[in-house]
Amino acid sequence: MLPSPKTASFPTIQEIWEQYRPDLLKVESQIQKSLASEVPLINQIALYILNSGGKRIRPLLMILSSKLCSSHQGEDHILLAAVVEFIHTATLLHDDVIDEGNLRRGKKTARTLWGNHASILVGDYLYASAVGHGLSLNNQEVNLVLQKACGHMIEGEMVQHTHNSDLGIRETDYLRIIQHKTASLIAASCQLGGIAGGGSAERKESLFQFGQNLGIAFQVADDTLDYIAQKQRLGKTLGADLKEGKVTLPMIHLLRTCSDEGKRQVIRTFGSDGSSEKQFDQILDLMHRHGSIEYAFSVARGYVEKAKGFLAAFEPSVHRTALHVVADYVVSRDH
Amino acid sequence: MLPSPKTASFPTIQEIWEQYRPDLLKVESQIQKSLASEVPLINQIALYILNSGGKRIRPLLMILSSKLCSSHQGEDHILLAAVVEFIHTATLLHDDVIDEGNLRRGKKTARTLWGNHASILVGDYLYASAVGHGLSLNNQEVNLVLQKACGHMIEGEMVQHTHNSDLGIRETDYLRIIQHKTASLIAASCQLGGIAGGGSAERKESLFQFGQNLGIAFQVADDTLDYIAQKQRLGKTLGADLKEGKVTLPMIHLLRTCSDEGKRQVIRTFGSDGSSEKQFDQILDLMHRHGSIEYAFSVARGYVEKAKGFLAAFEPSVHRTALHVVADYVVSRDH
């Protein structure tokens, strides 16, 4: 295949995946190797979800962050990428039980196939296993970064639940929640890449900030796609957040800008299990008319630009370019 | 109160609790101090379950194990006791969701009061927090002991679930399950006490073995009490295991010794949600006639004696005596 004219100046996300495939394959191999429970069913369930089509964004960010810092190149970033993917997978397993989710990425969730108990326990196992593999590096800095990220993720999830069906939630509260529940682990992935690559304290902090802003952008985009993505691409039911009572940025914007009649319409629809496709379409129509979808994407893009700003401290390189491309990708994927 | 004549030779469990109260109070204070989430609801739920009447057996074993080894006396065992109690509490929160339990120690479970999502997330938080507090000691030996125990606990729970309603489960399988799901953390508590007390490798191994055998005894006794304890003492529904399809030692013994008609009766009753009190009484009557309850207690006592054997390596002391008393207590409590 001939490279497209664009390739010479700025690679596409597909070209980035190709370029770093050798490292990503090492991560895949590490994931398989690290899953070594004596209980075959634990490995089976964990592999089912680990291999269910996740894009390995966190491992890719870790690899790129590590290479961005590194003159010497060890293999710690490969192990740490598997660790972070284990933690991410543990949260998916628990989230599915919490949200009573039946589909994820277009496939049946583990709880649908094996039951809630298996999802909870395999999630617990993956987390404990991640801690164990992290400990094997005997690096207290690594341990503390991972532990802090996990604490924040769980706190973010908990605060999100206390705001369930809270139509009065403010944009700042929403952003703080997603900073904790989503951006913490993405920030940690970048920071750990910096640690594995032997980066200076300043560079590791820049990578953390890059990841944190990118993580916020990622979740804002994800929440917005929940309203507008094509069903087959999203791999789950459209409007799931609306049905579950999750108030995300497009809705916060809508409620801030629409008329009282619009608000009443939202209240009637919101959190109603039986809300029809027609009701959903009406809400979506309101959002389009008030520019709520466009607003949410503009916020996401703003965080992407802020994230990129933290890369300015690094000299230009293929790895820095790749991080820019990945950053743009997280707010443009699937639509 | 005058001491009973027995006191001079061998203290009672109540006297042991009194004797070590200063340390246990430090553990209580550490538990409160260590619960420092920025999310008040997490602290509230965690404290509800942490203060719901657990006997703090693991902290007591940790304190005694530490003192048994120690000439110098630091405070690491206090922090580690809180860590182990956090891990134990995390498993209770997740178990209640898995077993759909509504009562624990006679009080409503967290999931009944705050929902499954809160139980799962606060369990996750307590585990992450335990890891964090463990890490603060910057002692790789401690980290590895904790991590191994957690892995085994979860594997034990998972294997137990794969054997749910399996009336063909063998005694050796059952014992291996409870060794993992229950004895791992009790063994780790004793081993960590040895580490905190600066014990030799040999002594730490003896304490681990003591704890492991005691942990098995503890769970066998607990499973047997599920059939015969007085309801108000057990704090949960009698015969819960029978209803949930958990095949424990009294049942394994009964099926090994009863007639085909007895087996058919068990099969009819087992795992039936609607099994009546009358049916339960019939099973219990069968167990009494076949000596199944007495057999299970004798197995538990056997493990207690085996546990005590591992203390022979230590010179006689008040702490060793106290460990003997606690060991006897775990198979005699509540009946």
Side-chain angles (χ1 to χ4, degrees):
Chain A
M1 196 175 76
L2 286 172
S4 70
K6 201 182 165 200
T7 316
S9 58
F10 226 57
T12 64
I13 186 71
Q14 286 75 17
E15 285 161 342
I16 302 292
W17 291 120
E18 278 311 312
Q19 191 178 340
Y20 295 93
R21 189 169 301 281
D23 288 275
L24 287 163
L25 287 173
K26 282 188 200 166
V27 174
E28 291 309 309
S29 152
Q30 182 69 51
I31 285 173
Q32 312 289 319
K33 204 173 105 190
S34 297
L35 254 190
S37 171
E38 287 172 29
V39 182
L41 185 59
I42 289 181
N43 299 328
Q44 186 193 345
I45 296 173
L47 280 178
Y48 172 81
I49 176 125
L50 276 160
N51 293 336
S52 69
K55 297 192 189 67
R56 307 284 194 245
I57 286 283
R58 293 162 194 78
L60 180 61
L61 288 170
M62 175 125 30
I63 291 163
L64 295 176
S65 300
S66 169
K67 288 183 186 286
L68 192 62
C69 289
S70 188
S71 41
H72 71 288
Q73 189 67 49
E75 293 288 293
D76 285 0
H77 63 297
I78 302 295
L79 179 71
L80 286 172
V83 163
V84 165
E85 209 61 7
F86 274 25
I87 293 171
H88 172 55
T89 306
T91 67
L92 299 184
L93 283 162
H94 285 188
D95 283 355
D96 285 337
V97 177
I98 289 170
D99 297 337
E100 301 179 3
N102 297 323
L103 278 182
R104 179 177 289 279
R105 299 175 191 140
K107 291 176 74 176
K108 283 185 182 168
T109 53
R111 73 173 210 104
T112 314
L113 292 170
W114 290 281
N116 279 346
H117 74 270
S119 279
I120 294 173
L121 291 173
V122 176
D124 289 347
Y125 183 84
L126 281 174
Y127 182 55
S129 180
V131 171
H133 290 297
L135 287 172
S136 73
L137 296 180
N138 208 354
N139 180 333
Q140 185 73 342
E141 189 185 5
V142 165
N143 296 337
L144 295 177
V145 167
L146 285 170
Q147 199 276 324
K148 193 175 156 196
C150 290
H152 281 165
M153 278 166 59
I154 301 160
E155 288 181 320
E157 284 280 345
M158 193 72 181
V159 175
Q160 181 178 58
H161 274 276
T162 64
H163 280 291
N164 206 43
S165 299
D166 173 11
L167 289 170
I169 188 174
R170 290 171 307 173
E171 182 166 334
T172 49
D173 295 327
Y174 163 79
L175 290 170
R176 193 163 165 73
I177 287 168
I178 65 174
Q179 179 187 329
H180 279 86
K181 81 162 186 166
T182 306
S184 296
L185 191 60
I186 293 178
S189 302
C190 299
Q191 191 181 8
L192 289 168
I195 295 170
S200 66
E202 217 168 29
R203 292 185 152 210
K204 288 182 282 190
E205 176 62 20
S206 293
L207 284 166
F208 176 84
Q209 294 292 344
F210 166 77
Q212 180 157 277
N213 285 285
L214 188 63
I216 294 171
F218 176 90
Q219 188 62 54
V220 171
D222 204 56
D223 290 343
T224 311
L225 287 167
D226 191 75
Y227 281 97
I228 61 152
Q230 285 171 32
K231 191 178 172 181
Q232 66 274 30
R233 290 207 179 171
L234 197 64
K236 60 175 184 176
T237 317
L238 208 61
D241 288 348
L242 187 71
K243 282 192 183 158
E244 286 166 17
K246 277 184 198 154
V247 184
T248 61
L249 194 53
M251 180 60 81
I252 291 168
H253 179 271
L254 176 62
L255 289 166
R256 202 163 61 202
T257 51
C258 72
S259 67
D260 285 352
E261 172 48 33
K263 285 194 185 92
R264 279 192 292 272
Q265 190 173 341
V266 169
I267 291 165
R268 277 196 302 273
T269 309
F270 205 74
S272 143
D273 254 352
S275 67
S276 65
E277 208 166 311
K278 193 180 156 201
Q279 280 178 309
F280 175 76
D281 287 343
Q282 284 171 343
I283 297 287
L284 189 56
D285 184 55
L286 267 181
M287 283 181 175
H288 280 305
R289 276 196 284 141
H290 287 82
S292 306
I293 299 293
E294 195 34 61
Y295 172 77
F297 276 124
S298 77
V299 169
R301 282 192 300 270
Y303 277 100
V304 167
E305 293 311 312
K306 196 173 166 199
K308 287 179 185 170
F310 285 101
L311 300 180
F314 297 86
E315 55 280 9
S317 69
V318 287
H319 311 309
R320 198 182 75 166
T321 302
L323 280 170
H324 279 242
V325 174
V326 175
D328 287 329
Y329 166 68
V330 303
V331 291
S332 67
R333 70 206 159 100
D334 287 339
H335 71 283
Chain B
M1 194 175 73
L2 287 173
S4 69
K6 201 183 164 199
T7 316
S9 57
F10 226 57
T12 64
I13 186 71
Q14 285 75 18
E15 285 161 344
I16 302 290
W17 292 119
E18 278 310 313
Q19 191 178 337
Y20 294 93
R21 187 167 304 279
D23 288 276
L24 286 163
L25 286 174
K26 281 188 202 168
V27 174
E28 291 309 310
S29 152
Q30 182 68 52
I31 285 173
Q32 312 289 320
K33 204 172 104 189
S34 297
L35 253 189
S37 171
E38 287 172 28
V39 182
L41 185 59
I42 290 181
N43 299 327
Q44 187 193 347
I45 296 173
L47 280 177
Y48 172 80
I49 177 125
L50 276 160
N51 294 334
S52 69
K55 296 191 190 68
R56 306 283 194 247
I57 286 283
R58 292 161 194 79
L60 180 60
L61 288 170
M62 175 125 32
I63 292 163
L64 295 176
S65 300
S66 170
K67 287 181 186 286
L68 192 62
C69 288
S70 188
S71 41
H72 70 288
Q73 189 67 49
E75 292 288 294
D76 285 359
H77 63 298
I78 302 295
L79 179 70
L80 286 172
V83 164
V84 164
E85 209 62 6
F86 274 24
I87 293 171
H88 172 56
T89 306
T91 67
L92 298 184
L93 283 162
H94 285 187
D95 284 356
D96 285 338
V97 177
I98 289 170
D99 297 338
E100 301 178 4
N102 297 323
L103 277 182
R104 179 176 288 281
R105 298 174 193 142
K107 291 176 76 175
K108 283 185 181 167
T109 53
R111 76 174 206 102
T112 314
L113 292 170
W114 290 281
N116 279 347
H117 73 271
S119 279
I120 293 173
L121 291 173
V122 176
D124 289 347
Y125 183 84
L126 281 174
Y127 182 55
S129 180
V131 171
H133 290 297
L135 287 172
S136 73
L137 295 180
N138 208 353
N139 180 333
Q140 186 73 341
E141 187 185 6
V142 164
N143 295 338
L144 295 177
V145 167
L146 284 170
Q147 199 275 324
K148 192 175 156 195
C150 290
H152 281 163
M153 277 166 61
I154 301 161
E155 289 182 320
E157 284 280 344
M158 194 71 182
V159 176
Q160 180 179 59
H161 274 275
T162 64
H163 280 291
N164 206 42
S165 299
D166 173 11
L167 289 169
I169 189 174
R170 292 170 305 175
E171 182 166 333
T172 49
D173 296 326
Y174 163 80
L175 289 170
R176 194 163 166 73
I177 287 168
I178 65 174
Q179 179 187 327
H180 279 87
K181 80 161 187 166
T182 306
S184 295
L185 191 61
I186 293 178
S189 302
C190 298
Q191 192 181 7
L192 289 168
I195 295 170
S200 66
E202 215 169 30
R203 291 185 152 208
K204 288 184 281 192
E205 175 62 21
S206 294
L207 284 166
F208 175 84
Q209 294 292 344
F210 167 78
Q212 181 157 276
N213 285 285
L214 188 63
I216 295 171
F218 177 90
Q219 188 62 55
V220 171
D222 205 56
D223 289 342
T224 311
L225 287 167
D226 191 74
Y227 282 98
I228 61 152
Q230 288 172 31
K231 190 177 173 180
Q232 66 273 29
R233 289 205 180 173
L234 197 62
K236 59 176 184 175
T237 317
L238 207 60
D241 288 347
L242 188 70
K243 282 191 182 159
E244 287 166 16
K246 276 185 198 152
V247 184
T248 60
L249 194 53
M251 180 61 79
I252 292 168
H253 178 271
L254 176 62
L255 288 166
R256 201 163 62 205
T257 51
C258 72
S259 67
D260 285 352
E261 172 48 33
K263 285 194 186 94
R264 280 192 291 274
Q265 190 172 341
V266 169
I267 291 165
R268 278 196 301 275
T269 308
F270 205 74
S272 143
D273 253 352
S275 66
S276 65
E277 207 166 311
K278 194 180 155 202
Q279 280 178 309
F280 175 76
D281 287 344
Q282 284 171 343
I283 298 287
L284 189 57
D285 185 55
L286 267 180
M287 283 182 175
H288 280 304
R289 277 195 284 139
H290 288 82
S292 305
I293 299 293
E294 194 36 60
Y295 172 77
F297 276 123
S298 77
V299 169
R301 281 193 301 271
Y303 277 100
V304 167
E305 292 312 312
K306 197 173 165 199
K308 286 179 186 170
F310 286 99
L311 299 180
F314 296 87
E315 54 280 9
S317 68
V318 286
H319 310 309
R320 197 181 76 165
T321 302
L323 280 171
H324 279 242
V325 173
V326 174
D328 286 329
Y329 166 69
V330 303
V331 291
S332 68
R333 69 210 160 97
D334 288 339
H335 72 283

